[in-house]
Structure formats: C-alpha cells, structure tokens
Amino acid sequence: EQTFAQQIEQLRQTLRYHEYQYHVLDEPKIPDAEYDRLFHQLKALEQAHPEFADSHSPTQRVGAKPLAGFAQVTHEIPMLSLDNAFSDEEFNAFVKRIQDRLGVLPEPLTFCCEPKLDGLAVSILYENGVLTQAATRGDGTTGEDITANIRTIRNIPLQLLTDNPPARLEVRGEVFMPQAGFEKLNEMALAKGEKTFANPRNAAAGSLRQLDPKITRQRPLMLNAYGIGVAEGVLLPDTHFARLQWLKSIGIPVNKEIELCNGVENVLKFYRTMAEKRPHLGYDIDGTVLKINDIALQEQLGFISKAPRWAIAYKFPAQEELTV
Ligand SMILES: Cc1c[n+]2nc(N)[nH]c2nc1OC(C)C
C-alpha cells in the first residue's frame, strides 16, 4: 500500500519517463490518452494533497499570472551569431582559413553538421537538474527573462533525467513552431478576427514574448538544443556531437538530422541533402550550421569579435516569400 507521497512521486517519475520517450526519443511507449489519464491523476492527487506541492512537478507548466514586463538577463557566456556562407567556394574559404590558422590538421577534418532551424535562439539554465531560468538571445550579451513561457513548452523538461545532475548546465537551442501548428494557429486567428503571423519564426517570437504564459502554453512551440553554455559540476565530452548525445540522454530534445561528416566533400553532401529534405521536414530551416566537432580545436580557433572561427552557417538562397 503506497502513501500519497509515494503515489505522487511515482506518478511524477512515470510522466517524466513518458515525456522523454515521446518528445526526445520519438518512441512513445503508451498512447496519448494514457499519458493524459496519468497526468490528470497526478494533478488530482496534488490538488488533494497540497503539502506535496513541487514546482518541478510535470504538472507545473503554466505560470501563475501574467508578467508586467520582462526582466533582463545577462549571459555569462555571450550568445554570438554565426558567420554566413552562400556558396561552396565561401565554405571552402572558411575551411582554408581554419587550415591556415591551425597549421597541421587532423585528416580527415570532422564536422558536426546540423540543420539551422528558423526560430529563436534561447538559453535555458538547469541548476541541480531543475529548470531555473530561461532567456532570449537578445543582443548576445543581454536577453529577456522568458522563464515562465519556456516552462510551457512541452518538449522542454522541467527536470533533467539523471540521478547526478550538473550543479549548473546552460542549454542553448532554437525555439521554433512547426509548420502544421503555424497554419492551425493562423486559421484560428482568422476565425477569431485576430492578427495572423507572417511565418512560423514570427509566430514563435510573438508567442515567446507573451506576458501571459497561459497564452504561450496554447502555442505549438518546440525546442531543439544545439549547444551548451555554462557547465559546472560535470565533465563534458570532448566533441560537440558527443555533447549533443549527452544532452539527449538527460532529456533535452536534439534534432534528429544532425550528423558527423568527415571531410569537406561529405559536408557539402550533407548541405545538399538538407536542401532536398527542406520542403518535407515539417519545420522551417534557413540553412545548415557546420561546426568543427573537436572541442579542443574549437577552443584553439576561438571567436572573431562576433562569431566563432570554428563554425559557419551555410544558408539556402532566400525562399520566395510565401504569401499567407
Ligand atoms: C547561433 C547558433 C545557431 N545554431 N543553430 C544550430 N543548429 N547550431 C547553432 N550554433 C550557433 O552558435 C554556435 C556555433 C556558437
């Protein structure tokens, strides 16, 4: 016979596990209806036993009341932008600059290749495994505190799925709105005579800038992590790809198109493959981000004033503006 505290704790663990299977592994183990039943069972138990309230419970996604404004957050590590390439020649020139700078290079040079999601870059801080703060990129140094809104995004865990979480871990990634959700949102806005959004990126930005988390919660937003900022109390893997795999293992969603490419030819093949996949992904991307995978090499290369020397966004030609 379980105590109420044990029932509540067990339901919280079960729901976190199923959120991970669904949102991170894309391998749900139970039907959505069963998940909903467990969720409402936990909600009822927590309401009946407020002495066991816990702000990190999977039920605690919607902030209390609307904010009057957004507080400012200073990024401990600046969130820099990326240098762009618009042709193979420009990408090759990027690689040549790296070769000139590093002199001897591992052969082949391994790149971690990622789709560049067309959303908003955010920073999410977990302290001792629980989500404590989230901010927009802002100007790279200072962003807006959007913690309450980030907490409403279903594929962002409120608690990391690990028994020994880092003291502090800053996850960096892109919040975006899938195309299907964007079209549904605009249909509803039209039906209600409200303003529609020009594209999913604007819809994501508008949804994250809502002062009322109850509105943000109704918007179909998702996160895909692409990097780590601050990390304390944990020994991180020594390649970028392994770091992303580690993030995924502790419950952080990472885009499934990301792959390692050895040598420039394979990187350019990845770029062309992503260009072909682009119309069928179900979300907007505006190019790829191609990063030196080895962290030691990244640190040797460092950053130009505003962007890293070790990464470049190879963008697609601007898509003809879709008239919504
Ligand atoms: C600004 C940015 C944006 N993106 N998007 C991806 N996929 N990776 C990535 N990395 C970024 O910056 C790091 C290279 C520092």
Side-chain angles (χ1 to χ4, degrees), residues 17-23 25-32:
Y17 166 75
H18 287 300
E19 284 170 8
Y20 177 66
Q21 288 295 137
Y22 181 89
H23 289 296
L25 301 185
D26 195 18
E27 294 164 5
K29 294 283 187 251
I30 55 173
D32 297 359

Side-chain angles (χ1 to χ4, degrees), residues 8 65 70 76 164 233 261 267 281 304:
I8 285 173
K65 53 193 179 310
F70 293 109
E76 290 174 43
N164 59 328
C261 298
V267 172
L281 290 172
I304 308 166

Side-chain angles (χ1 to χ4, degrees), residues 23-44:
H23 289 296
V24 179
L25 301 185
D26 195 18
E27 294 164 5
K29 294 283 187 251
I30 55 173
D32 297 359
E34 172 62 6
Y35 175 84
D36 288 346
R37 189 187 66 74
L38 291 168
F39 187 92
H40 290 100
Q41 190 182 349
L42 174 57
K43 220 160 165 60

Side-chain angles (χ1 to χ4, degrees), residues 78-82 114-117 121 137 172-174 224-227 240 258 288-291 303 308 310-312:
M79 289 183 76
L80 301 175
S81 53
L82 285 163
E114 310 176 17
K116 187 171 184 309
L117 273 65
R137 177 181 174 281
R172 294 181 167 188
E174 202 85 10
N224 273 181
Y226 60 63
H240 178 73
I258 294 174
T288 59
V289 183
L290 311 167
K291 307 171 182 178
F303 296 81
W310 44 268
I312 193 158

